[in-house]
C-alpha cells in the first residue's frame, strides 16, 4: 500500500475594525473598515486565490484526479468574497466540481468559541456547515477548529456534532517520542480520528521557502521529495497543513513558490512512494495507532503550539472575558444584527493583534496587523466592545418593554487550563 500525503489549506480573511474612537461610543455603531477589507481581499485574490486555484484545477485535470487537496474556508471569508470578489467563490466552486477537493467544517467566524461557549461553538459549526453546502454543494465530513485548536474536551464536542475525523497540530510536547505521521484517536472520543500536522515539512514551504539563509534553500521538488520519504520511512501518512496565503502572499511569486507547487504533484506521483488523499480518505485508509491525550488546548501557532497567541497576556484575557461575558445577555436581546456583530467580534484575529510576543513569533504576528502596537489594538477593540455592550443593554430593555419571551438555554463553558501569560519583557 502506498503511503499518503494529505494537503490542507486554511483560507480566512478577518473583518477588520476601523479606527473607532472613544467619543464615538454610543453614537456610531458601524465598526468595520470596509475599504481595508475590500482592498486586502482584492490584493490577496490577485496574488494568491485566483492564480493558485487555477493552478490546482489544472493539476487535478492533468493528473486525472490523482492530485487532491482540502480547504477550510471561514464564513467571514465567504461573506467578504460574496461582497467584494465573487470570482474567487466561482474558482473554489470549480474546484469543488472536480470531486478531488474536500471542504472541511470549522467555526463560521474563525473564533475561539470552542474554548468559551459550547452553545456558541455549536451554532457556528452548524452555520458554517450550511454555508459550505450552499456555496459548494457538499456536506463537510471532517472538522478543523480555528487555528487547529484542540483538546480532549473539544474533540468530544466535535464528535458529538457528528464528525468522525478532525485535524490538529502534531505538537511535540503532546506527542513526545511518537510521530505525527500516523492517525490517532481522541481520549474522550475514541472513535474520533485525528490527523496531525507535520510541522517541519509544512513549515519548510509555509515559512522557510524563500529564506536564503536556510541551509535547504533553494528548496527543489527533488529535495522535498527526499525529505518526505525520509520522514515517512517508518510511518504511513504525511500531513501538510498551511495557510493558503502562503502562495503568492507570504511567499511571493518571484520566490518560485508557484513553480515549486506546479512541479511537486508530478514528482510525487512519478516516484510512486506516495499518493495524495483528502482527510476523509486518509481516515478511511489508515487505522488509528493509539490514543492522543491532550488535556490542555494546543494549536498550530507560535513555538509554544498552545493558545498563548490569543490568550497569553492580560489585554487579551480582558477582551476575551468581556466579549464572551455578553453571551447570556445576547440571548435576551436576540437581535439579528447584534448576533452578526457578536460573531465578527469573535474573530480570533482581533485577539491575535494584541499579542505582545517578540523575536520570531513577533514577526509573524506583525503580518497583516493593522495596528502599530498591541495596546492600540486593545484600545480600539475595547472601544468597539463598549458600544456593542450598550446596544445589547438597549435591546434587552426594548425586549422587556415589549413583553416576556421564552429564552433559549445558554451554556457557558469557561476555558480550562488555558496557557498562562506571556513572559514579561524588560
Amino acid at each position: 500500500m502506498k503511503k499518503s500525503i494529505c494537503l490542507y489549506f486554511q483560507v480566512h480573511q478577518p473583518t477588520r475594525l476601523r479606527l473607532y474612537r472613544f467619543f464615538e461610543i454610543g453614537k456610531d455603531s458601524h465598526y468595520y473598515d470596509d475599504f481595508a477589507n475590500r482592498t486586502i481581499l482584492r490584493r490577496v485574490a490577485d496574488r494568491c486565490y485566483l492564480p493558485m486555484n487555477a493552478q490546482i484545477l489544472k493539476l487535478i485535470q492533468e493528473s486525472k484526479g490523482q492530485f487532491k487537496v482540502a480547504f477550510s474556508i471561514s464564513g467571514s471569508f465567504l461573506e467578504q468574497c460574496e461582497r467584494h470578489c465573487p470570482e474567487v467563490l466561482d474558482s473554489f466552486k470549480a474546484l469543488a466540481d472536480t470531486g478531488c477537493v474536500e471542504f472541511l467544517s470549522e467555526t463560521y467566524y474563525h473564533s475561539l468559541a470552542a474554548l468559551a461557549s459550547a452553545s456558541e461553538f455549536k451554532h457556528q459549526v452548524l452555520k458554517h456547515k450550511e454555508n459550505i453546502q450552499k456555496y459548494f454543494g457538499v456536506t463537510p465530513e471532517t472538522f478543523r477548529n480555528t487555528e487547529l485548536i484542540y483538546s480532549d474536551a473539544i474533540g468530544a464536542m466535535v464528535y458529538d456534532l457528528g464528525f468522525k475525523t478532525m485535524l490538529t497540530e502534531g505538537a511535540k510536547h503532546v506527542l513526545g517520542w511518537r510521530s505525527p505521521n500516523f492517525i490517532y484517536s481522541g481520549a474522550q472520543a475514541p472513535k474520533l480520528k485525528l490527523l496531525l500536522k507535520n510541522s517541519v515539512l509544512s513549515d519548510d514551504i509555509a515559512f522557510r521557502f524563500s529564506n536564503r539563509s536556510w541551509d535547504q534553500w533553494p528548496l527543489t521538488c527533488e529535495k522535498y521529495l527526499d525529505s518526505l520519504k525520509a520522514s515517512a520511512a517508518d510511518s504511513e501518512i504525511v500531513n501538510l497543513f498551511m495557510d493558503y496565503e502562503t502562495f503568492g502572499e507570504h511567499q511571493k511569486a518571484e520566490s518560485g513558490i508557484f513553480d515549486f507547487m506546479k512541479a511537486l504533484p508530478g514528482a510525487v506521483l512519478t516516484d510512486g512512494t506516495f499518493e495524495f488523499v483528502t482527510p476523509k480518505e486518509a481516515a478511511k485508509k489508515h487505522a488509528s495507532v493509539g490514543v492522543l491525550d491532550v488535556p490542555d488546548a494546543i494549536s498550530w501557532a507560535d513555538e509554544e503550539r498552545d493558545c498563548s497567541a490569543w490568550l497569553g497576556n492580560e489585554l487579551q484575557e480582558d477582551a476575551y472575558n468581556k466579549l464572551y461575558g455578553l453571551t447570556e445577555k445576547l440571548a435576551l436581546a436576540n437581535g439579528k444584527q447584534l448576533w452578526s456583530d457578536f460573531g465578527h467580534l469573535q474573530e480570533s484575529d482581533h485577539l491575535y493583534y494584541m499579542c505582545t510576543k517578540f523575536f520570531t513569533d513577533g514577526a509573524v504576528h506583525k503580518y497583516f496587523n493593522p495596528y502599530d502596537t498591541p495596546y492600540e489594538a486593545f484600545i480600539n477593540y475595547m472601544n468597539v466592545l463598549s458600544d456593542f455592550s450598550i446596544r445589547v443593554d438597549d435591546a434587552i430593555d426594548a425586549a422587556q418593554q415589549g413583553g416576556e419571551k421564552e429564552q433559549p438555554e445558554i451554556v457557558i463553558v469557561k476555558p480550562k487550563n488555558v496557557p498562562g501569560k506571556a513572559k514579561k519583557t524588560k
Side-chain angles (χ1 to χ4, degrees):
M1 183 173 67
K2 291 184 179 180
K3 299 178 186 294
S4 301
I5 293 177
C6 182
L7 264 173
Y8 149 75
F9 304 117
Q10 170 187 299
V11 188
H12 170 66
Q13 286 294 331
T15 309
R16 297 166 186 82
L17 303 176
R18 69 177 179 86
L19 178 61
Y20 192 90
R21 302 183 186 279
F22 176 80
F23 62 78
E24 296 182 83
I25 298 173
K27 299 178 181 179
D28 188 344
S29 298
H30 180 68
Y31 307 138
Y32 312 113
D33 191 335
D34 298 323
F35 177 78
N37 290 326
R38 180 176 65 253
T39 301
I40 293 174
L41 180 63
R42 289 294 324 181
R43 184 191 78 198
V44 184
D46 291 339
R47 292 180 178 180
C48 171
Y49 306 135
L50 293 173
M52 194 60 186
N53 280 0
Q55 182 165 297
I56 289 177
L57 179 61
K58 187 175 181 180
L59 288 169
I60 290 172
Q61 294 169 341
E62 291 177 344
S63 68
K64 297 181 179 180
Q66 294 184 73
F67 181 59
K68 301 175 182 180
V69 299
F71 290 99
S72 179
I73 305 178
S74 73
S76 299
F77 180 86
L78 292 173
E79 287 184 9
Q80 289 194 50
C81 282
E82 189 169 52
R83 190 178 303 122
H84 304 306
C85 204
E87 60 268 37
V88 170
L89 285 181
D90 291 338
S91 68
F92 277 111
K93 290 176 184 176
L95 291 177
D97 291 341
T98 66
C100 297
V101 175
E102 181 179 359
F103 290 87
L104 312 187
S105 182
E106 66 159 283
T107 57
Y108 185 89
Y109 295 105
H110 198 76
S111 73
L112 302 182
L115 298 173
S117 169
S119 60
E120 177 62 16
F121 176 69
K122 179 179 179 180
H123 163 71
Q124 288 193 32
V125 172
L126 295 179
K127 182 175 181 178
H128 183 266
K129 182 178 181 181
E130 290 174 1
N131 276 267
I132 294 299
Q133 292 170 329
K134 169 187 170 183
Y135 286 105
F136 308 119
V138 295
T139 301
E141 298 181 32
T142 302
F143 190 80
R144 168 260 178 204
N145 197 21
T146 305
E147 304 295 333
L148 295 187
I149 292 174
Y150 174 82
S151 69
D152 295 335
I154 292 173
M157 286 196 296
V158 169
Y159 183 77
D160 288 342
L161 287 172
F163 297 98
K164 303 296 175 59
T165 308
M166 184 172 178
L167 276 56
T168 188
E169 171 67 31
K172 291 181 180 179
H173 67 278
V174 170
L175 281 171
W177 57 268
R178 293 174 293 182
S179 168
N181 298 338
F182 291 98
I183 287 181
Y184 295 88
S185 299
Q188 293 185 21
K191 293 184 180 180
L192 179 69
K193 288 190 173 182
L194 302 175
L195 274 65
L196 309 185
K197 172 189 169 187
N198 185 307
S199 299
V200 174
L201 292 175
S202 297
D203 292 353
D204 280 352
I205 297 174
F207 295 106
R208 291 182 281 271
F209 185 83
S210 60
N211 183 2
R212 291 176 176 249
S213 63
W214 180 36
D215 62 1
Q216 294 298 309
W217 187 89
L219 184 63
T220 64
C221 289
E222 292 74 22
K223 285 183 185 178
Y224 195 69
L225 181 57
D226 287 343
S227 297
L228 287 168
K229 292 164 73 172
S231 179
D234 299 315
S235 54
E236 301 174 348
I237 181 171
V238 179
N239 297 307
L240 304 175
F241 302 165
M242 62 198 80
D243 286 330
Y244 202 36
E245 293 79 16
T246 293
F247 307 99
E249 185 63 31
H250 301 318
Q251 306 295 338
K252 306 301 182 186
E254 52 267 29
S255 71
I257 190 70
F258 285 102
D259 294 331
F260 173 81
M261 286 303 298
K262 180 180 179 180
L264 183 62
V268 169
L269 294 172
T270 300
D271 177 78
T273 304
F274 296 94
E275 65 178 350
F276 291 98
V277 297
T278 61
K280 66 180 179 182
E281 289 175 341
K284 291 178 181 179
K285 178 180 176 181
H286 301 287
S288 168
V289 298
V291 173
L292 193 70
D293 292 299
V294 189
D296 301 329
I298 59 174
S299 78
W300 72 354
D302 299 349
E303 293 184 6
E304 296 91 343
R305 299 297 198 262
D306 58 16
C307 294
S308 59
W310 307 276
L311 296 171
N313 62 47
E314 293 180 358
L315 302 178
Q316 295 168 313
E317 290 178 355
D318 190 17
Y320 170 89
N321 289 329
K322 184 173 182 180
L323 173 68
Y324 283 104
L326 295 170
T327 308
E328 291 188 48
K329 282 188 173 183
L330 272 163
L332 298 174
N334 202 27
K336 183 177 180 181
Q337 186 57 50
L338 287 174
W339 280 110
S340 176
D341 288 337
F342 180 59
H344 288 300
L345 290 175
Q346 289 182 65
E347 292 172 7
S348 62
D349 310 76
H350 302 309
L351 295 173
Y352 194 75
Y353 299 147
M354 302 176 199
C355 188
T356 52
K357 293 184 180 183
F358 293 89
F359 306 111
T360 304
D361 291 337
V364 176
H365 284 265
K366 288 179 181 178
Y367 203 92
F368 278 136
N369 192 334
Y371 303 98
D372 292 331
T373 69
Y375 310 101
E376 289 180 17
F378 173 75
I379 292 170
N380 199 64
Y381 184 80
M382 295 305 279
N383 284 343
V384 169
L385 204 51
S386 295
D387 181 83
F388 182 73
S389 298
I390 292 172
R391 290 170 57 207
V392 172
D393 289 337
D394 289 346
I396 292 174
D397 291 341
Q400 290 175 342
Q401 291 175 7
E404 294 295 328
K405 297 181 180 179
E406 184 178 352
Q407 305 301 335
E409 180 183 0
I410 297 295
V411 180
I412 303 296
V413 180
K414 298 297 182 184
K416 297 180 180 180
N417 300 318
V418 171
K421 302 175 180 61
K423 295 181 180 179
K424 296 182 179 179
T425 56
K426 296 183 180 179

